[in-house]
Amino acid sequence: MTQLEHAREGRITAEIKAVAANEDIAGSGLAAAVAAGQVVIPANRNHRNLRPIGIGKGLKTKINANIGTSADYPNLEDETRKMATVLDCGCDAVMDLSTGGDITAIRRALLAQATIPFGNVPVYEMMVDAPLRGVPFVSLTAADMLAYVRRQAEDGVDFMTVHAGLTLKAIDKLRKRPRVAGIVSRGGSMLTAWMLHNKRENPFFEHFDELLALAREYDVTLSLGDGLRPGALADGSDWAQLEELLTLGELVQRSRQAGVQVMVEGPGHLPLPQVEMNIRLQKEVCAGAPFYVLGPVVTDVAPGYDHITAAIGSAVAGAAGADFLCYVTPAEHLGLPAEGDVREGIMASRIAAHVADIAKGLPGALDWDRRMAAARRRLDWSAQEKLSLDPEKFKRVRERRSTRTAACSMCGDFCVYRVLENLGL
Amino acid sequence: MTQLEHAREGRITAEIKAVAANEDIAGSGLAAAVAAGQVVIPANRNHRNLRPIGIGKGLKTKINANIGTSADYPNLEDETRKMATVLDCGCDAVMDLSTGGDITAIRRALLAQATIPFGNVPVYEMMVDAPLRGVPFVSLTAADMLAYVRRQAEDGVDFMTVHAGLTLKAIDKLRKRPRVAGIVSRGGSMLTAWMLHNKRENPFFEHFDELLALAREYDVTLSLGDGLRPGALADGSDWAQLEELLTLGELVQRSRQAGVQVMVEGPGHLPLPQVEMNIRLQKEVCAGAPFYVLGPVVTDVAPGYDHITAAIGSAVAGAAGADFLCYVTPAEHLGLPAEGDVREGIMASRIAAHVADIAKGLPGALDWDRRMAAARRRLDWSAQEKLSLDPEKFKRVRERRSTRTAACSMCGDFCVYRVLENLGL
């Protein structure tokens, strides 16, 4: 039985209990939210050493870091170091998006290292591995694909991005209203190539019931991917995106009926004024399913700074109700992130999540800021360092711009807290 | 006569003409906006080599960088280099907030270097210089203070932050509803100290007409400072802030009546859901005066990353109608920014301004993103580099994470634009 099925029967599983304790909420309330499909707890029964987290309504906004090899950077060692950074930086979840080297071995090694929920995009292994076995991706059968998914589930993958809502009808919408940036989802592009080559419907859509049976068996949380997410501001909220979203709404219903935990993925690239609308729309169409957003980045013109463009979009998305934020690194649109990029991406994403938690009015969220402000007023630099999101960077910047005073090198003795000392203002 | 007075009489000055050309709008429409006080063109008649800019309704969102010495870092050379960075990075305006070394000499040197509008906070020179002459700041008379302002105006300062709305009544509000972070404006804290020591009203409030006469003489744009801006999320939109804002509304009216260009400054630190409200409120209370926001940062807990926390607040503020964004650097709350911090702050702020311009629906704003997306689709890396906000960083990251393919090192030959080549999607 899945967490969803247990919760429906009113059982408070060990995972629900752990999550409730972590979030400082009642287990019964959390179980009700899981039962309603408003919260998911990605926890594959085969993932050992997992500290489960909850994603969804009433819980802290969670963040995910994408790591994984590419053809240009196929080494497991690099990814092992990135995973250590991910864990060290307090990231809530991680996805292995490897597309270089031995995908299976890399997944198993990283999964063994991951104490946080571990996701993947099943199609990536297929597109890399099948050709090595002499089978072009477009020649894979639905059965072949499901066999890959089964092996990944067996390994312990907690959540999987499946682009099951990318249908022929949605591709038709794309043709009727062409895009500036076309399709930018890798999984989505592979499935589109398969569909156009075979002149058949998306195998994950056609065989969704089999996928559900498999997900249920291991309690894999499905993350319904947005293969047609806009990849440019100009394409935001267009017909193709909305056609896919409508299908995802149905697939959410079918997943829940099958007892499978499900969340939904969203854009991508969006102009800022479209962000809140997209979150509200998804929550309506998908009956409150947890929403997992990639960014969104709110301008296309700032490669090198997409951790910032995404932090803006993520903060606003989170404040509007998005539950799970996928980080974006400074390397986005330019190359595979290195370890330092991973760190920067996570910090920007943690900022967005906390800003969202304050906006959501989560109990205790603002207290952190209040404690920091109080320490600042006391000129208690050691408390400020401890309270800061990234104490290491706090220390580095402060030492680099050192002062001879009790304040900081910007104001020195003109610090407001020295000027107004003891005035009680 | 000031730009405002000229515009009222229907004259299209050289400055209005230059700004209109730059913004690609009609001079007559711009003159009307200047006449209505919805747009300011900070252009002191004594500032040579100034390329004027407009700030306000219907124009591109502008950004400002604060530079200047401190007691710990008093060298002009450092600031000269920062000024070069400010000009090089495409920043719209600059403020000299020097509080170390020979303030007068530093101002004159930086002003000579500045081809963009140059602002300052008059009180800073007073608080540093007066004690050197044996006069504690609290012993300065209103006449002394106005004499400082006159010298600064004579030097060519285009806009000045004056905390004239910080009244005894506002301090009373602060006592009735105490804050977590108290007063965090340096100018505001000095004036408060002066008021409490002398048991008298704010000299800039009491002598506001004299200040106006002086500003009119040189066409200095007044930037009505928010000495009581919240310095912690917990203090956002509190009584003291609102009391001061109400006074600023009156001072805007008096400035306009006197023919003096005026804009209004705003927070500071705010929870994200309060940002839009603050912009709308200021626009109402201050009859559409251009709004100059410092950040706002949307969490207190991320020192080291306050260029990001401010980019989030600035983007949302700009989208809601803020006209002028003051950058925040990674050194904020930790020390005086170095040259690299200045660069990072400007880039984050430029992102926020552009995101805001798209939200405001400014003609042409989204075209930039569209061109970038099209270049990305063509895998035209040289065009992408040229189109990017920071071509230097684009190049650096791309070279650091190099690829052997025509795409990038993240996807390589799995790039969506190679997978779906020639499918017209």
Side-chain angles (χ1 to χ4, degrees), chain A residues 121 123-124 127 161-164 166 174 179 181-193 224-232 244 265-269 294 332, chain B residues 411 414-417 419-420:
Chain A
V121 184
V123 160
Y124 290 2
M127 75 187 186
T161 295
V162 188
H163 303 95
L166 201 179
L174 203 59
R179 281 182 166 181
I183 297 176
V184 298
S185 151
R186 279 186 291 184
S189 74
M190 294 306 293
L191 288 170
T192 301
L224 298 175
D226 49 340
L228 296 176
R229 66 174 176 268
E244 185 182 34
E265 299 185 12
H269 291 233
L294 173 58
E332 185 75 14
Chain B
C411 304
F414 295 114
C415 174
V416 293
Y417 294 131
V419 170
L420 295 177

mmCIF file of all heavy atoms in Angstrom, chain A residues 121 123-124 127 161-164 166 174 179 181-193 224-232 244 265-269 294 332, chain B residues 411 414-417 419-420:
data_model
loop_
_atom_site.group_PDB
_atom_site.id
_atom_site.type_symbol
_atom_site.label_atom_id
_atom_site.label_comp_id
_atom_site.label_asym_id
_atom_site.label_seq_id
_atom_site.Cartn_x
_atom_site.Cartn_y
_atom_site.Cartn_z
ATOM 1 N N VAL A 121 14.120 11.286 -14.261
ATOM 2 C CA VAL A 121 13.257 11.335 -15.444
ATOM 3 C C VAL A 121 13.540 10.051 -16.202
ATOM 4 O O VAL A 121 14.579 9.926 -16.851
ATOM 5 C CB VAL A 121 13.570 12.565 -16.326
ATOM 6 C CG1 VAL A 121 12.593 12.657 -17.488
ATOM 7 C CG2 VAL A 121 13.546 13.845 -15.504
ATOM 8 N N VAL A 123 12.877 8.637 -18.881
ATOM 9 C CA VAL A 123 13.226 8.661 -20.303
ATOM 10 C C VAL A 123 14.724 8.864 -20.528
ATOM 11 O O VAL A 123 15.280 8.382 -21.517
ATOM 12 C CB VAL A 123 12.403 9.760 -21.027
ATOM 13 C CG1 VAL A 123 13.034 10.162 -22.353
ATOM 14 C CG2 VAL A 123 10.969 9.296 -21.232
ATOM 15 N N TYR A 124 15.403 9.564 -19.608
ATOM 16 C CA TYR A 124 16.821 9.846 -19.849
ATOM 17 C C TYR A 124 17.641 8.565 -19.968
ATOM 18 O O TYR A 124 18.503 8.444 -20.823
ATOM 19 C CB TYR A 124 17.401 10.731 -18.734
ATOM 20 C CG TYR A 124 16.890 12.149 -18.732
ATOM 21 C CD1 TYR A 124 15.944 12.589 -19.652
ATOM 22 C CD2 TYR A 124 17.351 13.068 -17.793
ATOM 23 C CE1 TYR A 124 15.482 13.897 -19.634
ATOM 24 C CE2 TYR A 124 16.898 14.374 -17.771
ATOM 25 C CZ TYR A 124 15.958 14.777 -18.679
ATOM 26 O OH TYR A 124 15.500 16.073 -18.653
ATOM 27 N N MET A 127 16.948 7.011 -23.376
ATOM 28 C CA MET A 127 17.504 7.663 -24.564
ATOM 29 C C MET A 127 19.025 7.492 -24.664
ATOM 30 O O MET A 127 19.582 7.505 -25.754
ATOM 31 C CB MET A 127 17.104 9.146 -24.622
ATOM 32 C CG MET A 127 17.836 10.065 -23.650
ATOM 33 S SD MET A 127 17.124 11.761 -23.657
ATOM 34 C CE MET A 127 18.302 12.610 -22.575
ATOM 35 N N THR A 161 9.578 11.951 -12.974
ATOM 36 C CA THR A 161 8.928 12.853 -13.905
ATOM 37 C C THR A 161 8.520 12.081 -15.154
ATOM 38 O O THR A 161 9.370 11.525 -15.858
ATOM 39 C CB THR A 161 9.883 13.989 -14.308
ATOM 40 O OG1 THR A 161 10.168 14.776 -13.153
ATOM 41 C CG2 THR A 161 9.257 14.866 -15.375
ATOM 42 N N VAL A 162 7.229 12.025 -15.393
ATOM 43 C CA VAL A 162 6.717 11.323 -16.577
ATOM 44 C C VAL A 162 5.857 12.300 -17.360
ATOM 45 O O VAL A 162 4.941 12.913 -16.805
ATOM 46 C CB VAL A 162 5.871 10.099 -16.168
ATOM 47 C CG1 VAL A 162 5.517 9.278 -17.395
ATOM 48 C CG2 VAL A 162 6.623 9.253 -15.158
ATOM 49 N N HIS A 163 6.187 12.453 -18.639
ATOM 50 C CA HIS A 163 5.477 13.434 -19.473
ATOM 51 C C HIS A 163 4.269 12.784 -20.140
ATOM 52 O O HIS A 163 4.133 12.794 -21.367
ATOM 53 C CB HIS A 163 6.431 14.017 -20.511
ATOM 54 C CG HIS A 163 7.652 14.649 -19.896
ATOM 55 N ND1 HIS A 163 8.848 13.983 -19.749
ATOM 56 C CD2 HIS A 163 7.838 15.879 -19.362
ATOM 57 C CE1 HIS A 163 9.731 14.790 -19.161
ATOM 58 N NE2 HIS A 163 9.143 15.937 -18.904
ATOM 59 N N ALA A 164 3.369 12.257 -19.302
ATOM 60 C CA ALA A 164 2.245 11.488 -19.836
ATOM 61 C C ALA A 164 1.143 12.375 -20.415
ATOM 62 O O ALA A 164 0.242 11.893 -21.094
ATOM 63 C CB ALA A 164 1.672 10.588 -18.729
ATOM 64 N N LEU A 166 1.630 14.818 -22.523
ATOM 65 C CA LEU A 166 2.034 15.378 -23.825
ATOM 66 C C LEU A 166 1.416 14.513 -24.925
ATOM 67 O O LEU A 166 1.992 13.501 -25.339
ATOM 68 C CB LEU A 166 3.557 15.360 -23.904
ATOM 69 C CG LEU A 166 4.249 16.302 -24.884
ATOM 70 C CD1 LEU A 166 5.750 16.138 -24.789
ATOM 71 C CD2 LEU A 166 3.795 16.146 -26.303
ATOM 72 N N LEU A 174 0.340 22.985 -30.747
ATOM 73 C CA LEU A 174 1.632 23.618 -30.970
ATOM 74 C C LEU A 174 1.793 24.002 -32.444
ATOM 75 O O LEU A 174 2.357 25.053 -32.761
ATOM 76 C CB LEU A 174 2.722 22.610 -30.569
ATOM 77 C CG LEU A 174 4.099 23.121 -30.203
ATOM 78 C CD1 LEU A 174 4.030 24.074 -29.032
ATOM 79 C CD2 LEU A 174 4.992 21.932 -29.828
ATOM 80 N N ARG A 179 5.455 28.435 -31.650
ATOM 81 C CA ARG A 179 6.152 29.068 -30.535
ATOM 82 C C ARG A 179 7.462 29.711 -30.966
ATOM 83 O O ARG A 179 8.040 29.313 -31.980
ATOM 84 C CB ARG A 179 6.504 27.998 -29.503
ATOM 85 C CG ARG A 179 5.354 27.603 -28.640
ATOM 86 C CD ARG A 179 5.842 26.575 -27.621
ATOM 87 N NE ARG A 179 4.845 26.420 -26.568
ATOM 88 C CZ ARG A 179 4.982 25.618 -25.528
ATOM 89 N NH1 ARG A 179 6.081 24.893 -25.388
ATOM 90 N NH2 ARG A 179 4.048 25.547 -24.610
ATOM 91 N N ALA A 181 10.070 29.389 -28.889
ATOM 92 C CA ALA A 181 11.106 28.477 -28.387
ATOM 93 C C ALA A 181 10.762 26.996 -28.546
ATOM 94 O O ALA A 181 11.544 26.140 -28.146
ATOM 95 C CB ALA A 181 11.412 28.780 -26.919
ATOM 96 N N GLY A 182 9.615 26.682 -29.131
ATOM 97 C CA GLY A 182 9.261 25.281 -29.352
ATOM 98 C C GLY A 182 9.167 24.478 -28.068
ATOM 99 O O GLY A 182 8.675 24.969 -27.049
ATOM 100 N N ILE A 183 9.660 23.258 -28.124
ATOM 101 C CA ILE A 183 9.636 22.354 -26.963
ATOM 102 C C ILE A 183 11.000 22.416 -26.280
ATOM 103 O O ILE A 183 12.027 22.284 -26.936
ATOM 104 C CB ILE A 183 9.348 20.904 -27.410
ATOM 105 C CG1 ILE A 183 7.955 20.819 -28.050
ATOM 106 C CG2 ILE A 183 9.479 19.942 -26.236
ATOM 107 C CD1 ILE A 183 7.627 19.444 -28.612
ATOM 108 N N VAL A 184 11.032 22.631 -24.983
ATOM 109 C CA VAL A 184 12.325 22.739 -24.293
ATOM 110 C C VAL A 184 12.528 21.673 -23.227
ATOM 111 O O VAL A 184 13.551 21.658 -22.549
ATOM 112 C CB VAL A 184 12.522 24.135 -23.660
ATOM 113 C CG1 VAL A 184 12.529 25.207 -24.742
ATOM 114 C CG2 VAL A 184 11.449 24.416 -22.612
ATOM 115 N N SER A 185 11.543 20.790 -23.079
ATOM 116 C CA SER A 185 11.702 19.679 -22.148
ATOM 117 C C SER A 185 12.420 18.556 -22.890
ATOM 118 O O SER A 185 12.003 18.162 -23.982
ATOM 119 C CB SER A 185 10.320 19.213 -21.690
ATOM 120 O OG SER A 185 10.328 17.840 -21.365
ATOM 121 N N ARG A 186 13.510 18.053 -22.282
ATOM 122 C CA ARG A 186 14.237 16.993 -22.974
ATOM 123 C C ARG A 186 13.388 15.739 -23.086
ATOM 124 O O ARG A 186 13.284 15.136 -24.154
ATOM 125 C CB ARG A 186 15.540 16.666 -22.227
ATOM 126 C CG ARG A 186 16.637 17.663 -22.554
ATOM 127 C CD ARG A 186 17.939 17.233 -21.919
ATOM 128 N NE ARG A 186 17.882 17.356 -20.466
ATOM 129 C CZ ARG A 186 18.893 17.121 -19.660
ATOM 130 N NH1 ARG A 186 20.049 16.727 -20.146
ATOM 131 N NH2 ARG A 186 18.781 17.271 -18.345
ATOM 132 N N GLY A 187 12.766 15.340 -21.953
ATOM 133 C CA GLY A 187 11.883 14.178 -21.996
ATOM 134 C C GLY A 187 10.762 14.410 -22.996
ATOM 135 O O GLY A 187 10.408 13.533 -23.785
ATOM 136 N N GLY A 188 10.217 15.607 -22.966
ATOM 137 C CA GLY A 188 9.126 15.952 -23.884
ATOM 138 C C GLY A 188 9.571 15.882 -25.335
ATOM 139 O O GLY A 188 8.832 15.392 -26.197
ATOM 140 N N SER A 189 10.783 16.343 -25.609
ATOM 141 C CA SER A 189 11.243 16.340 -27.005
ATOM 142 C C SER A 189 11.463 14.910 -27.493
ATOM 143 O O SER A 189 11.136 14.576 -28.631
ATOM 144 C CB SER A 189 12.517 17.174 -27.159
ATOM 145 O OG SER A 189 13.635 16.499 -26.621
ATOM 146 N N MET A 190 11.988 14.041 -26.613
ATOM 147 C CA MET A 190 12.207 12.644 -27.009
ATOM 148 C C MET A 190 10.876 11.953 -27.303
ATOM 149 O O MET A 190 10.736 11.228 -28.287
ATOM 150 C CB MET A 190 12.946 11.878 -25.900
ATOM 151 C CG MET A 190 14.369 12.332 -25.620
ATOM 152 S SD MET A 190 15.484 12.377 -27.051
ATOM 153 C CE MET A 190 15.623 10.625 -27.443
ATOM 154 N N LEU A 191 9.893 12.194 -26.415
ATOM 155 C CA LEU A 191 8.592 11.551 -26.621
ATOM 156 C C LEU A 191 7.906 12.099 -27.871
ATOM 157 O O LEU A 191 7.243 11.360 -28.601
ATOM 158 C CB LEU A 191 7.703 11.751 -25.386
ATOM 159 C CG LEU A 191 8.139 10.912 -24.174
ATOM 160 C CD1 LEU A 191 7.388 11.327 -22.922
ATOM 161 C CD2 LEU A 191 7.907 9.416 -24.460
ATOM 162 N N THR A 192 8.091 13.391 -28.124
ATOM 163 C CA THR A 192 7.509 13.971 -29.337
ATOM 164 C C THR A 192 8.134 13.328 -30.573
ATOM 165 O O THR A 192 7.427 12.963 -31.529
ATOM 166 C CB THR A 192 7.737 15.499 -29.348
ATOM 167 O OG1 THR A 192 7.134 16.054 -28.182
ATOM 168 C CG2 THR A 192 7.129 16.132 -30.592
ATOM 169 N N ALA A 193 9.459 13.181 -30.530
ATOM 170 C CA ALA A 193 10.138 12.522 -31.655
ATOM 171 C C ALA A 193 9.588 11.102 -31.840
ATOM 172 O O ALA A 193 9.314 10.656 -32.971
ATOM 173 C CB ALA A 193 11.645 12.486 -31.401
ATOM 174 N N LEU A 224 3.969 14.547 -12.674
ATOM 175 C CA LEU A 224 3.501 14.669 -14.061
ATOM 176 C C LEU A 224 4.203 15.834 -14.728
ATOM 177 O O LEU A 224 3.980 16.996 -14.387
ATOM 178 C CB LEU A 224 1.983 14.816 -14.093
ATOM 179 C CG LEU A 224 1.214 13.602 -13.520
ATOM 180 C CD1 LEU A 224 -0.291 13.879 -13.486
ATOM 181 C CD2 LEU A 224 1.504 12.326 -14.329
ATOM 182 N N GLY A 225 5.075 15.500 -15.657
ATOM 183 C CA GLY A 225 5.946 16.504 -16.274
ATOM 184 C C GLY A 225 5.208 17.367 -17.279
ATOM 185 O O GLY A 225 4.202 16.952 -17.858
ATOM 186 N N ASP A 226 5.730 18.573 -17.436
ATOM 187 C CA ASP A 226 5.147 19.476 -18.429
ATOM 188 C C ASP A 226 6.078 19.538 -19.634
ATOM 189 O O ASP A 226 6.883 20.444 -19.778
ATOM 190 C CB ASP A 226 4.869 20.864 -17.836
ATOM 191 C CG ASP A 226 6.056 21.453 -17.082
ATOM 192 O OD1 ASP A 226 6.953 20.677 -16.688
ATOM 193 O OD2 ASP A 226 6.092 22.676 -16.901
ATOM 194 N N GLY A 227 5.912 18.538 -20.470
ATOM 195 C CA GLY A 227 6.751 18.432 -21.656
ATOM 196 C C GLY A 227 6.586 19.634 -22.570
ATOM 197 O O GLY A 227 7.452 19.918 -23.391
ATOM 198 N N LEU A 228 5.486 20.316 -22.437
ATOM 199 C CA LEU A 228 5.243 21.496 -23.270
ATOM 200 C C LEU A 228 5.326 22.784 -22.462
ATOM 201 O O LEU A 228 4.696 23.793 -22.803
ATOM 202 C CB LEU A 228 3.882 21.368 -23.969
ATOM 203 C CG LEU A 228 3.825 20.182 -24.941
ATOM 204 C CD1 LEU A 228 2.435 20.022 -25.531
ATOM 205 C CD2 LEU A 228 4.852 20.349 -26.054
ATOM 206 N N ARG A 229 6.110 22.761 -21.399
ATOM 207 C CA ARG A 229 6.265 23.997 -20.639
ATOM 208 C C ARG A 229 6.896 25.062 -21.543
ATOM 209 O O ARG A 229 7.718 24.739 -22.407
ATOM 210 C CB ARG A 229 7.145 23.775 -19.414
ATOM 211 C CG ARG A 229 8.584 23.424 -19.722
ATOM 212 C CD ARG A 229 9.431 23.373 -18.457
ATOM 213 N NE ARG A 229 10.781 22.938 -18.742
ATOM 214 C CZ ARG A 229 11.186 21.668 -18.694
ATOM 215 N NH1 ARG A 229 10.344 20.703 -18.362
ATOM 216 N NH2 ARG A 229 12.443 21.343 -18.982
ATOM 217 N N PRO A 230 6.508 26.303 -21.354
ATOM 218 C CA PRO A 230 7.100 27.362 -22.173
ATOM 219 C C PRO A 230 8.588 27.498 -21.869
ATOM 220 O O PRO A 230 8.990 27.469 -20.717
ATOM 221 C CB PRO A 230 6.334 28.619 -21.751
ATOM 222 C CG PRO A 230 5.767 28.297 -20.404
ATOM 223 C CD PRO A 230 5.520 26.820 -20.398
ATOM 224 N N GLY A 231 9.370 27.650 -22.926
ATOM 225 C CA GLY A 231 10.821 27.808 -22.772
ATOM 226 C C GLY A 231 11.252 29.218 -23.128
ATOM 227 O O GLY A 231 12.428 29.497 -23.304
ATOM 228 N N ALA A 232 10.272 30.099 -23.221
ATOM 229 C CA ALA A 232 10.536 31.514 -23.492
ATOM 230 C C ALA A 232 9.353 32.291 -22.932
ATOM 231 O O ALA A 232 8.227 31.786 -22.901
ATOM 232 C CB ALA A 232 10.664 31.776 -24.982
ATOM 233 N N GLU A 244 -1.935 20.565 -22.427
ATOM 234 C CA GLU A 244 -1.243 19.551 -21.628
ATOM 235 C C GLU A 244 -1.711 19.603 -20.174
ATOM 236 O O GLU A 244 -1.949 18.564 -19.551
ATOM 237 C CB GLU A 244 0.271 19.759 -21.708
ATOM 238 C CG GLU A 244 1.060 18.663 -20.987
ATOM 239 C CD GLU A 244 2.572 18.899 -21.030
ATOM 240 O OE1 GLU A 244 2.995 20.075 -20.997
ATOM 241 O OE2 GLU A 244 3.324 17.912 -21.104
ATOM 242 N N GLU A 265 4.036 19.187 -12.517
ATOM 243 C CA GLU A 265 5.118 20.128 -12.786
ATOM 244 C C GLU A 265 4.634 21.306 -13.635
ATOM 245 O O GLU A 265 3.706 21.176 -14.422
ATOM 246 C CB GLU A 265 6.275 19.409 -13.488
ATOM 247 C CG GLU A 265 6.847 18.298 -12.626
ATOM 248 C CD GLU A 265 8.073 17.622 -13.222
ATOM 249 O OE1 GLU A 265 8.637 18.141 -14.205
ATOM 250 O OE2 GLU A 265 8.454 16.561 -12.686
ATOM 251 N N GLY A 266 5.286 22.433 -13.426
ATOM 252 C CA GLY A 266 4.883 23.639 -14.150
ATOM 253 C C GLY A 266 6.064 24.417 -14.693
ATOM 254 O O GLY A 266 7.215 24.056 -14.456
ATOM 255 N N PRO A 267 5.739 25.517 -15.379
ATOM 256 C CA PRO A 267 6.760 26.284 -16.096
ATOM 257 C C PRO A 267 7.796 26.807 -15.104
ATOM 258 O O PRO A 267 7.468 26.987 -13.942
ATOM 259 C CB PRO A 267 5.987 27.443 -16.703
ATOM 260 C CG PRO A 267 4.640 27.454 -16.052
ATOM 261 C CD PRO A 267 4.440 26.131 -15.394
ATOM 262 N N GLY A 268 8.944 27.029 -15.600
ATOM 263 C CA GLY A 268 9.503 27.136 -16.953
ATOM 264 C C GLY A 268 9.978 28.598 -17.120
ATOM 265 O O GLY A 268 10.745 29.098 -16.347
ATOM 266 N N HIS A 269 9.480 29.206 -18.095
ATOM 267 C CA HIS A 269 9.747 30.621 -18.400
ATOM 268 C C HIS A 269 8.393 31.330 -18.435
ATOM 269 O O HIS A 269 7.505 30.907 -19.178
ATOM 270 C CB HIS A 269 10.398 30.790 -19.782
ATOM 271 C CG HIS A 269 11.801 30.271 -19.910
ATOM 272 N ND1 HIS A 269 12.832 31.053 -20.388
ATOM 273 C CD2 HIS A 269 12.356 29.060 -19.625
ATOM 274 C CE1 HIS A 269 13.958 30.342 -20.412
ATOM 275 N NE2 HIS A 269 13.693 29.123 -19.952
ATOM 276 N N LEU A 294 9.614 24.677 -12.014
ATOM 277 C CA LEU A 294 11.022 24.802 -12.420
ATOM 278 C C LEU A 294 11.266 26.291 -12.627
ATOM 279 O O LEU A 294 10.910 26.860 -13.639
ATOM 280 C CB LEU A 294 11.250 24.022 -13.706
ATOM 281 C CG LEU A 294 12.630 24.166 -14.372
ATOM 282 C CD1 LEU A 294 13.736 23.745 -13.432
ATOM 283 C CD2 LEU A 294 12.684 23.341 -15.651
ATOM 284 N N GLU A 332 22.613 27.511 -15.990
ATOM 285 C CA GLU A 332 21.439 27.191 -16.818
ATOM 286 C C GLU A 332 21.518 27.900 -18.159
ATOM 287 O O GLU A 332 21.879 29.076 -18.236
ATOM 288 C CB GLU A 332 20.154 27.610 -16.075
ATOM 289 C CG GLU A 332 18.862 27.219 -16.776
ATOM 290 C CD GLU A 332 18.527 25.732 -16.656
ATOM 291 O OE1 GLU A 332 19.152 25.048 -15.808
ATOM 292 O OE2 GLU A 332 17.665 25.249 -17.419
ATOM 293 N N CYS B 411 23.109 19.255 -22.180
ATOM 294 C CA CYS B 411 22.379 18.262 -22.978
ATOM 295 C C CYS B 411 23.196 17.683 -24.126
ATOM 296 O O CYS B 411 22.896 16.593 -24.613
ATOM 297 C CB CYS B 411 21.096 18.868 -23.547
ATOM 298 S SG CYS B 411 20.018 19.561 -22.291
ATOM 299 N N PHE B 414 21.668 15.626 -26.981
ATOM 300 C CA PHE B 414 20.274 15.446 -26.570
ATOM 301 C C PHE B 414 19.549 16.791 -26.474
ATOM 302 O O PHE B 414 18.423 16.860 -25.984
ATOM 303 C CB PHE B 414 20.182 14.711 -25.236
ATOM 304 C CG PHE B 414 20.688 13.297 -25.298
ATOM 305 C CD1 PHE B 414 21.822 12.910 -24.610
ATOM 306 C CD2 PHE B 414 20.023 12.340 -26.061
ATOM 307 C CE1 PHE B 414 22.304 11.603 -24.676
ATOM 308 C CE2 PHE B 414 20.488 11.027 -26.124
ATOM 309 C CZ PHE B 414 21.635 10.659 -25.437
ATOM 310 N N CYS B 415 20.206 17.845 -26.888
ATOM 311 C CA CYS B 415 19.572 19.172 -26.890
ATOM 312 C C CYS B 415 18.253 19.094 -27.639
ATOM 313 O O CYS B 415 18.185 18.546 -28.746
ATOM 314 C CB CYS B 415 20.500 20.192 -27.560
ATOM 315 S SG CYS B 415 19.736 21.813 -27.752
ATOM 316 N N VAL B 416 17.225 19.655 -27.048
ATOM 317 C CA VAL B 416 15.894 19.608 -27.679
ATOM 318 C C VAL B 416 15.929 20.163 -29.096
ATOM 319 O O VAL B 416 15.192 19.705 -29.968
ATOM 320 C CB VAL B 416 14.850 20.407 -26.863
ATOM 321 C CG1 VAL B 416 14.597 19.723 -25.540
ATOM 322 C CG2 VAL B 416 15.275 21.858 -26.646
ATOM 323 N N TYR B 417 16.795 21.142 -29.315
ATOM 324 C CA TYR B 417 16.795 21.768 -30.638
ATOM 325 C C TYR B 417 17.530 20.927 -31.672
ATOM 326 O O TYR B 417 17.460 21.198 -32.856
ATOM 327 C CB TYR B 417 17.362 23.183 -30.556
ATOM 328 C CG TYR B 417 16.458 24.093 -29.754
ATOM 329 C CD1 TYR B 417 16.954 24.898 -28.742
ATOM 330 C CD2 TYR B 417 15.084 24.110 -29.994
ATOM 331 C CE1 TYR B 417 16.116 25.709 -28.000
ATOM 332 C CE2 TYR B 417 14.243 24.917 -29.257
ATOM 333 C CZ TYR B 417 14.763 25.713 -28.260
ATOM 334 O OH TYR B 417 13.926 26.508 -27.524
ATOM 335 N N VAL B 419 17.203 17.373 -31.227
ATOM 336 C CA VAL B 419 16.263 16.249 -31.296
ATOM 337 C C VAL B 419 15.106 16.577 -32.234
ATOM 338 O O VAL B 419 14.644 15.725 -33.007
ATOM 339 C CB VAL B 419 15.724 15.919 -29.884
ATOM 340 C CG1 VAL B 419 14.557 14.932 -29.947
ATOM 341 C CG2 VAL B 419 16.843 15.374 -28.997
ATOM 342 N N LEU B 420 14.638 17.801 -32.172
ATOM 343 C CA LEU B 420 13.438 18.164 -32.938
ATOM 344 C C LEU B 420 13.746 19.036 -34.156
ATOM 345 O O LEU B 420 12.852 19.655 -34.715
ATOM 346 C CB LEU B 420 12.438 18.882 -32.018
ATOM 347 C CG LEU B 420 11.880 18.012 -30.879
ATOM 348 C CD1 LEU B 420 10.967 18.814 -29.990
ATOM 349 C CD2 LEU B 420 11.128 16.805 -31.441
#
